Amino acid sequence: MPSKAPIGFCGLGAMGMGMATHLVKTGHQVKGFDLYRPSLQRFEAAGGTPSPSLLNSAVDMPFYIVMVATAVQAQSALFGTAEGGDEGIVHKLPQNAVLLLCSTVPASYAVSVERELKEIGRGDIFFIDSPVSGGAFRAADGTLSIMAGGATAALEKGMWLLEAMSAPKKLFVVEGGIGAGSNMKMAHQVLAAIQILVTGEAYGFAARLGLDAESVRKEIVEGEAWSWMVEDRGRRVIAGLDAWRPGVSALTIILKDTSIITSSARLCNFPVPMASAAEQVYFSGLSQGFGSEDDAGMVRLYYPGPVADVKCTVDKEAKAAKLKLVVNMLIGIYVCATAESIAFAQRVNLPLDQLHELAVDAAGGSHVFREVGAQMIKGLKGDASAWSGLGKRLEDVTQGLSEAASEAQNLKCPAFLTNTALSMLMLAKRTADKDASAATAVKVWKS
């Protein structure tokens, strides 16, 4: 590793601020830039060096990190907006600088950056496509999950910096060069996008069933319906409006990622019905003015009042039966989210075992992904034993989800993901044996 090499940094939002200040804490001189002046002031207070301009942040910086929100912002920051001008970072970086693009962008955009660097005569820059996952707290602790793709030489030069920002065993070098890191992030975000929304769907359904939110949370966190996202977002769903404004993770962030998934899927003619359904619901939330608020606030589309105000009045047996409906809803949706993520990963030539290793303990992780996802990968790799009789049965998962969908219909409760997942499971059942495992569902995406 270079001896405390100086680092340029662009994009001091929630994640970027954590990443940049962590590098400062480890002893690096970090010159950061952000258009939002209060962020620069916070960065300076944390020991960083605020840059007076974007271009100044790149001068004489042998290492540079871009952590802006979108591909459009990245393009402007990297190359500038003037035709043939020199208003972007890449025009000021020194020879043989290492450039990390940590933003979540389409793989096609990452590939276009590599191409444009060569076209403008900056092929000397060692470029790494390295989206991150883990949230602001893990960014500040230097324990992110990072998915990195690039040329061998670039990865070797930038490895120390990638390692400095990631947790042990959470740095995944993805074979395939530029674009592979972004594709891996998107395969993971299929899980995240669906499971963020299903939190609202599950808690809204539970409230209409007359279940108190704390009992629902306990059932989810301690049982087979656990997922990282539903546990995390469930806290803020229960906390209500005060936790949504401004919130921890704005709706527009996951909507951006979901739209990257659906647009990327269209480019490779691949179906993503679960992510597409989630995108439409997120659009609905956006149109109601929820864009800048925490994505946990999507529960409002399923239940009109605070779910924390619901008091359960039924006896123990009836309560258990209602909780089982919520659990069955979640498990059915998890199975389909798992199938969509893994099948998409295979479509874009990602190593499936690496996806499982990454996602199982990341934000997209769930008990279902750990168990059923492993079976799906086993089956897709040619082991036919994965399709029969192991673990959860397709018949049982479909029946449980069907019962939840029927009760949601009786209650006039929106159940967007529930009904999309049920349709996919019913399609899977048409060609499956009676005792087929739930892993068989992935075949629908492969047919």
Side-chain angles (χ1 to χ4, degrees):
M1 148 183 171
S3 179
K4 302 304 178 186
I7 302 163
F9 202 105
C10 172
L12 299 171
M15 289 278 284
M17 181 67 74
M19 294 163 66
T21 55
H22 168 72
L23 291 169
V24 169
K25 290 173 187 174
T26 59
H28 291 279
Q29 175 196 341
V30 182
K31 182 181 282 190
F33 177 76
D34 196 281
L35 291 172
Y36 187 53
R37 186 164 182 79
S39 292
L40 287 175
Q41 294 169 342
R42 282 181 55 209
F43 183 56
E44 184 174 23
T49 303
S51 177
S53 70
L54 173 66
L55 297 186
N56 179 267
S57 70
V59 174
D60 296 327
M61 289 295 156
F63 297 88
Y64 200 97
I65 298 170
V66 175
M67 188 56 189
V68 295
T70 67
V72 172
Q73 291 177 4
Q75 182 69 9
S76 178
L78 289 169
F79 299 103
T81 55
E83 186 71 26
D86 60 353
E87 298 179 355
I89 293 162
V90 301
H91 300 288
K92 300 299 180 183
L93 289 174
Q95 283 287 305
N96 301 314
V98 175
L99 173 63
L100 274 62
L101 178 57
C102 293
S103 306
T104 299
V105 298
S108 59
Y109 174 70
V111 171
S112 77
V113 170
E114 182 181 44
R115 182 175 61 249
E116 190 165 353
L117 285 171
K118 293 175 181 177
E119 289 173 351
I120 65 171
R122 289 311 313 263
D124 63 284
I125 291 175
F126 292 91
F127 176 53
I128 304 175
D129 163 37
S130 48
V132 302
S133 178
F137 294 111
R138 284 177 57 188
D141 288 340
T143 56
L144 290 167
S145 295
I146 302 181
M147 296 132 273
T152 300
L155 290 165
E156 288 176 351
K157 290 200 69 170
M159 187 60 64
W160 72 269
L161 184 51
L162 294 166
E163 290 175 343
M165 296 186 293
S166 58
K169 299 183 180 180
K170 292 299 179 183
L171 172 57
F172 297 89
V173 176
V174 187
E175 293 183 3
I178 296 298
S182 287
N183 272 332
M184 184 65 83
K185 176 67 184 288
M186 282 304 96
H188 174 269
Q189 290 305 94
V190 169
L191 299 165
I194 294 165
Q195 288 164 192
I196 286 172
L197 184 60
V198 81
T199 309
E201 191 154 317
Y203 276 93
F205 178 50
R208 289 178 184 262
L209 286 168
L211 293 169
D212 62 284
E214 287 297 343
S215 292
V216 174
R217 176 172 170 75
K218 185 174 187 296
E219 185 75 19
I220 291 169
V221 171
E222 298 180 3
E224 60 180 340
W226 174 85
S227 76
W228 190 95
M229 278 298 187
V230 176
E231 178 179 358
D232 179 74
R233 293 317 197 266
R235 297 186 187 96
R236 303 202 293 274
V237 166
I238 295 171
L241 198 59
D242 289 343
W244 306 340
R245 297 175 178 171
V248 177
S249 186
L251 170 62
T252 49
I253 296 173
I254 192 58
L255 175 55
K256 178 206 69 171
D257 289 3
T258 311
S259 294
I260 292 174
I261 294 165
T262 57
S263 60
S264 297
R266 284 194 294 273
L267 285 175
C268 59
N269 296 311
F270 188 80
V272 283
M274 297 295 294
S276 296
E279 181 182 40
Q280 297 305 307
V281 185
Y282 288 138
F283 282 153
S284 181
L286 186 69
S287 71
Q288 295 190 42
F290 303 158
S292 63
E293 297 178 10
D294 197 283
D295 52 36
M298 289 295 288
V299 70
R300 287 171 287 186
L301 297 184
Y302 298 92
Y303 187 75
V307 298
D309 290 350
V310 176
K311 308 298 180 186
C312 186
T313 59
V314 298
D315 62 32
K316 185 177 180 180
E317 184 176 349
K319 182 176 181 179
K322 290 175 182 288
L323 285 169
K324 185 63 175 174
L325 286 171
V326 178
V327 167
N328 287 343
M329 169 188 277
L330 287 166
I331 289 174
I333 292 169
Y334 292 160
V335 167
C336 290
T338 297
E340 189 158 299
S341 171
I342 290 172
F344 177 76
Q346 189 176 58
R347 179 67 178 83
V348 295
N349 300 313
L350 293 174
L352 300 185
D353 289 333
Q354 191 176 44
L355 170 65
H356 193 266
E357 181 185 359
L358 183 158
V360 75
D361 291 320
S366 68
H367 289 328
V368 167
F369 184 82
R370 180 182 296 276
E371 172 197 337
V372 182
Q375 286 180 243
M376 288 178 181
I377 292 169
K378 185 179 177 182
L380 291 173
K381 291 170 70 175
D383 189 339
S385 68
W387 309 132
S388 59
L390 296 174
K392 290 180 171 56
R393 295 170 66 242
L394 178 64
E395 175 69 31
D396 297 335
V397 173
T398 306
Q399 182 61 34
L401 189 60
S402 179
E403 291 170 0
S406 294
E407 188 59 29
Q409 184 178 48
N410 291 337
L411 295 169
K412 304 297 185 288
C413 177
F416 308 101
L417 294 176
T418 298
N419 285 286
T420 302
L422 182 58
S423 294
M424 301 308 291
L425 293 177
M426 287 179 169
L427 284 172
K429 276 187 60 182
R430 292 174 69 178
T431 55
D433 296 334
K434 182 178 180 181
D435 292 326
S437 71
T440 309
V442 76
K443 292 184 178 182
V444 177
W445 279 261
K446 297 294 295 175
S447 60

